[in-house]
């Protein structure tokens, strides 16, 4: 974990671009609450293939302007042409955006994953560097429990290294509830000479069905002791909220104590779950 301990922890919050007027109003209130915590940045997700191209752009620029907090778009390459990507990258640059969460993305099921002119996130990192030099701070995704489509953990580590070698500045992990997976991942990265900050992606636990569905899709393991408890209280939202808050607070506390260089909260545009964890960790006073 030595490579990570050199970095001052940083904190960030992720939103999705809302579709409806109600969602837009809600996000305004949500980001105002998180802005009070003075995070390093906000980020806004992107629908692979460009399904949220305009909404992501609008949400990023409005969020940055209204809160004064640096805001980063997510950008994926699958399903987009070089020309489309170039247009969007330059639009962000022209609007004062200086950070991008750089991804391959996942097209809706049945559409494959190799559509588009750039195949992997490492290709998108190289492309952004070729087009805009060092203008952007580039975040990439990291998978302590392995990306579900990777041939092996070693192959996935090589894929991660390719993103770093292409010019990524830092990484955010897929969420996980198993501290050893993160420790072993960091150790493997150190052995490969990778020492960019690898910030922990935090998914609060609030709802049994959503957690199971997301986790099946993205390959995050729910340890049996957590799964059995939330399964046996699947309809008791109060129980799941309290239990989830305690589990995720403990996880974050231990990871920060080990030297994790920060937390990135997958807020799902909700204040309470992430804010409770933040408050339990006493992060406002650190
Ligand atoms: P890559 O790093 O390209 O890896 C994808 C797969 O290809 C892996 O299995 C890897 O091992 C393999 N691979 C990579 N390079 C090679 C190579 N040269 N040869 C062979 N195999 C290779 N998705 C969205 O659609 N929108 C979002 O906004 C979004 N935000 C995210 C934010 C974070 C922090 C994280 C962790 C994930 C996010 N995702 C998002 C999900 C992400 O798009 C998916 O996990 C996707 O399947 C992989 O994206 P990647 O950037 O990790 O891809």
């Amino acid at each position: 974990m030595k490579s990570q301990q050199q970095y001052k922890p940083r904190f960030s919050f992720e939103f999705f671009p809302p579709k409806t007027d109600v969602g837009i109003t809600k996000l305004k209130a949500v980001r105002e609450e998180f802005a009070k915590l003075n995070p390093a940045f906000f980020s806004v997700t992107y629908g692979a293939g460009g399904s949220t191209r305009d909404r992501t752009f609008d949400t990023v620029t409005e969020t940055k302007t209204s809160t004064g907090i640096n805001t980063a778009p997510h950008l994926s390459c699958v399903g987009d042409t070089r020309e489309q990507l170039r247009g969007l990258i330059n639009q962000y640059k022209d609007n004062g955006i200086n950070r991008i969460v750089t991804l391959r993305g996942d097209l809706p099921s049945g559409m494959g994953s190799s559509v588009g002119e750039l195949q992997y996130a490492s290709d998108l990192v190289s492309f952004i560097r070729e087009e805009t030099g060092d203008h952007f701070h580039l975040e990439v995704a990291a998978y302590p429990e392995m990306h579900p489509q990777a041939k092996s953990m070693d192959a996935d580590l090589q894929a991660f290294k390719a993103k770093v070698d292409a010019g990524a500045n830092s990484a955010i992990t897929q969420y996980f509830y198993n501290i050893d997976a993160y420790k072993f991942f960091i150790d493997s990265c150190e052995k490969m000479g990778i020492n960019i900050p690898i910030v922990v992606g935090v998914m609060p636990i609030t709802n049994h069905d959503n957690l199971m569905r997301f986790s099946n899709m993205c390959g995050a393991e729910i340890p049996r002791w957590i799964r059995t408890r939330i399964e046996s209280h699947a309809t008791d939202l109060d129980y799941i909220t309290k239990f989830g808050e305690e589990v995720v607070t403990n996880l974050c506390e231990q990871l920060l104590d080990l030297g994790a260089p920060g937390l990135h909260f997958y807020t799902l545009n909700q204040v309470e779950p992430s804010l409770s964890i933040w408050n339990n960790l006493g992060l406002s006073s650190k």
Side-chain angles (χ1 to χ4, degrees), residues 14 45-46 48 74 101-106 120-121 141 143 147 149-150 155-156 159 163 172-174 266:
E14 177 176 312
T45 60
Y46 183 75
H74 293 209
V101 182
T102 314
L103 303 149
R104 182 197 72 182
D106 289 313
Y120 297 114
Y143 299 87
H147 184 266
Q149 292 158 2
D156 209 28
K163 296 192 271 197
I172 302 169
T173 72
Q174 183 56 275
Y266 297 113

Side-chain angles (χ1 to χ4, degrees), residues 84-237:
Q84 286 167 323
L85 293 166
R86 182 178 290 118
L88 202 43
I89 294 161
N90 284 322
Q91 221 183 333
Y92 281 125
K93 191 175 171 204
D94 294 345
N95 279 274
I97 302 300
N98 61 10
R99 185 185 286 261
I100 297 179
V101 182
T102 314
L103 303 149
R104 182 197 72 182
D106 289 313
L107 285 177
S109 59
M111 291 180 71
S113 61
S114 55
V115 193
E117 294 180 357
L118 303 176
Q119 200 173 358
Y120 297 114
S122 54
D123 300 326
L124 182 57
V125 172
S126 300
F127 181 71
I128 297 175
R129 288 288 176 241
E130 279 161 26
E131 294 286 321
T132 56
D134 286 336
H135 174 78
F136 290 103
H137 179 114
L138 298 181
E139 303 277 347
V140 289
Y143 299 87
E145 295 182 326
M146 196 178 95
H147 184 266
Q149 292 158 2
K151 291 203 175 76
S152 65
M153 190 72 213
D154 285 348
D156 209 28
L157 280 160
Q158 287 300 340
F160 181 56
K161 185 168 189 305
K163 296 192 271 197
V164 178
D165 290 347
N169 301 97
S170 47
I172 302 169
T173 72
Q174 183 56 275
Y175 68 88
F176 59 90
Y177 300 105
N178 182 342
I179 292 177
D180 282 334
Y182 179 77
K183 282 202 298 196
F184 274 87
F185 182 77
I186 299 295
D187 288 349
S188 304
C189 289
E190 281 174 6
K191 285 184 191 133
M192 295 169 78
I194 299 170
N195 61 12
I196 59 168
I198 302 174
V199 168
V200 173
V202 178
M203 180 66 87
I205 297 175
T206 55
N207 177 304
H208 169 268
D209 293 354
N210 289 349
L211 183 71
M212 293 305 157
R213 201 180 60 247
F214 283 152
S215 304
N216 282 339
M217 266 175 350
C218 72
E221 189 197 29
I222 310 299
R224 187 170 176 277
W225 67 274
I226 298 180
R227 192 162 38 84
T228 49
R229 285 191 185 226
I230 59 173
E231 269 169 9
S232 60
H233 294 81
T235 54
D236 184 347
L237 287 187

Side-chain angles (χ1 to χ4, degrees), residues 52-111:
T52 68
R53 191 176 285 118
D54 294 341
R55 272 192 285 133
T56 298
F57 180 83
D58 293 345
T59 308
V60 165
T61 47
E62 279 163 25
T63 301
K64 186 172 185 221
T65 309
S66 69
T67 63
I69 301 290
N70 200 5
T71 305
H74 293 209
L75 180 61
S76 64
C77 56
V78 66
D80 273 334
T81 63
R82 277 193 179 78
E83 206 41 52
Q84 286 167 323
L85 293 166
R86 182 178 290 118
L88 202 43
I89 294 161
N90 284 322
Q91 221 183 333
Y92 281 125
K93 191 175 171 204
D94 294 345
N95 279 274
I97 302 300
N98 61 10
R99 185 185 286 261
I100 297 179
V101 182
T102 314
L103 303 149
R104 182 197 72 182
D106 289 313
L107 285 177
S109 59
M111 291 180 71

